[in-house]
Amino acid sequence: MDIYQTVTDRIISLLEQGTVPWRKPWATVNGMPKNLITGKEYRGVNIFLLGCQQYSSPYWLTYKQAQEKQGNIRKGEKSSMVVFWKLLAKENSGQNDKAIGKIPLLKYYSLFNLEQTEGIPSPVFDVPVFPFTPIEKAERIVQGMQNRPEIIYGGNRASYTPASDTIRMPYQERFEKSEEVYSVLYHELSHSTGHKSRLARKEVMETNAFGSESYASEELVAELASSMLCGVAGISNQTIDLAASYLDGWLSVLKKDKKLIVVAAAQAQKAADYILNCQYGAEEQHVL
């Protein structure tokens, strides 16, 4: 098993699903994912592999640890992979008796979140809570969207799933700023406008590999549309840094394709117009 490829494929899979593991303007529970039994925090790429999951609990454990706690893994639950380095001693060539050293070997094992178990009590843990104050104009944009997808709050990820036409969002109280709630939600709502029941963008209806032009274009569409909606809501000054940090990651893609930003911006305008229930004539749309 090529563990490097497996980890890479997992990260790419999350990105293709609309989840960016390192882009989280919301607070994580107790800082980092940790093992229920040892209390040790996971490190390295494991922070992303576990932290981007939909569970609210920061605690993880192996199947064996669950049994030792007199608990069970719920039927049908799938495990999550974590990796670690194991040092193996090099074999002596026999030419001398000196120690040659050790070879690092990447290994993996499977974990389950505490929320996937039964019969195991959860430790009390602090959930960072910030006061969320709905912003009237920003909220009207969300509520005013016709044919809006279902929005599910909870967990530790923000994403849009075309197959079920649903948006997942962390609880609003997990965001330090109320404006950031709407910025992230607008991003996911913008993705949802590509659904076959709305604007039917091929970048949403078709499966696009991470790094492809179609994938990059769709992410730009969602973030640009979100920025436009933040401007309409009057909260762009509070969310511009968030948008800029996200778009910065696509600079290399933009430099390779000079047409991408123009096409993406036109699609973003259409997405924002759909959410705002704005309709334009053919001549005005041609200008976009």
Side-chain angles (χ1 to χ4, degrees):
M1 179 179 180
D2 188 339
I3 300 175
Y4 293 98
Q5 187 63 53
T6 302
V7 171
T8 301
D9 290 344
R10 174 59 179 153
I11 296 294
I12 289 176
S13 174
L14 289 166
L15 289 165
E16 289 175 340
Q17 293 172 38
T19 300
V20 184
W22 44 87
R23 179 183 185 254
K24 288 189 177 182
W26 55 91
T28 56
V29 178
N30 268 7
M32 298 290 181
K34 61 191 67 177
N35 186 274
L36 176 68
I37 307 303
T38 66
K40 292 183 178 180
E41 294 182 346
Y42 294 98
R43 297 171 60 82
V45 73
N46 296 324
I47 295 172
F48 304 120
L49 292 174
L50 300 180
C52 64
Q53 303 285 2
Q54 70 268 29
Y55 309 108
S56 297
S57 174
Y59 294 104
W60 296 81
L61 69 172
T62 64
Y63 180 83
K64 182 179 179 181
Q65 287 175 329
Q67 289 184 315
E68 292 173 350
K69 294 287 288 185
Q70 307 301 311
N72 298 298
I73 305 298
R74 290 202 305 264
K75 187 176 180 180
E77 295 288 350
K78 295 183 179 180
S79 64
S80 299
M81 184 182 74
V82 293
V83 298
F84 67 99
W85 292 101
K86 185 175 182 179
L87 296 176
L88 300 179
K90 278 187 178 181
E91 292 185 6
N92 197 305
S93 63
Q95 297 177 354
N96 55 61
D97 296 329
K98 294 182 179 179
I100 299 179
K102 295 184 178 181
I103 303 174
L105 180 66
L106 192 64
K107 305 283 286 184
Y108 79 98
Y109 59 96
S110 300
L111 292 176
F112 294 90
N113 188 268
L114 187 57
E115 294 180 7
Q116 297 177 279
T117 68
E118 297 175 327
I120 303 177
S122 174
V124 177
F125 55 87
D126 296 326
V127 180
V129 175
F130 303 97
F132 172 72
T133 304
I135 300 171
E136 184 178 357
K137 196 170 182 179
E139 188 64 32
R140 282 205 305 266
I141 291 175
V142 177
Q143 299 303 323
M145 179 182 176
Q146 296 182 7
N147 189 25
R148 187 176 66 245
E150 181 183 8
I151 303 173
I152 302 172
Y153 286 93
N156 196 33
R157 65 189 297 185
S159 62
Y160 169 67
T161 305
S164 59
D165 193 27
T166 55
I167 287 173
R168 294 198 68 96
M169 284 282 294
Y171 287 117
Q172 296 159 326
E173 294 78 10
R174 298 280 295 281
F175 292 78
E176 187 172 357
K177 298 179 180 179
S178 298
E179 291 85 358
E180 291 174 348
V181 175
Y182 295 103
S183 177
V184 174
L185 180 54
Y186 289 163
H187 181 101
E188 303 306 337
L189 284 173
S190 299
H191 276 312
S192 77
T193 63
H195 191 265
K196 61 183 180 181
S197 66
R198 301 183 184 94
L199 297 178
R201 281 196 306 279
K202 65 180 181 64
E203 290 85 358
V204 173
M205 296 191 299
E206 300 174 1
T207 301
N208 297 296
F210 173 71
S212 67
E213 182 177 322
S214 295
Y215 176 83
S217 176
E218 176 58 26
E219 286 303 310
L220 282 171
V221 167
E223 196 58 30
L224 290 171
S226 173
S227 297
M228 292 173 184
L229 293 170
C230 286
V232 173
I235 60 174
S236 57
N237 287 340
Q238 287 77 25
T239 62
I240 191 169
D241 289 341
L242 181 65
S245 64
Y246 182 77
L247 293 174
D248 181 63
W250 299 101
L251 281 177
S252 60
V253 180
L254 292 171
K255 290 176 181 177
K256 293 178 183 177
D257 186 352
K258 61 183 179 181
K259 296 181 180 179
L260 183 58
I261 188 65
V262 177
V263 174
Q267 295 279 20
Q269 185 69 71
K270 292 179 181 179
D273 288 345
Y274 184 96
I275 293 171
L276 294 168
N277 298 316
C278 293
Q279 295 182 354
Y280 294 91
E283 182 178 345
E284 289 170 304
Q285 287 194 20
H286 180 71
V287 175
L288 299 177

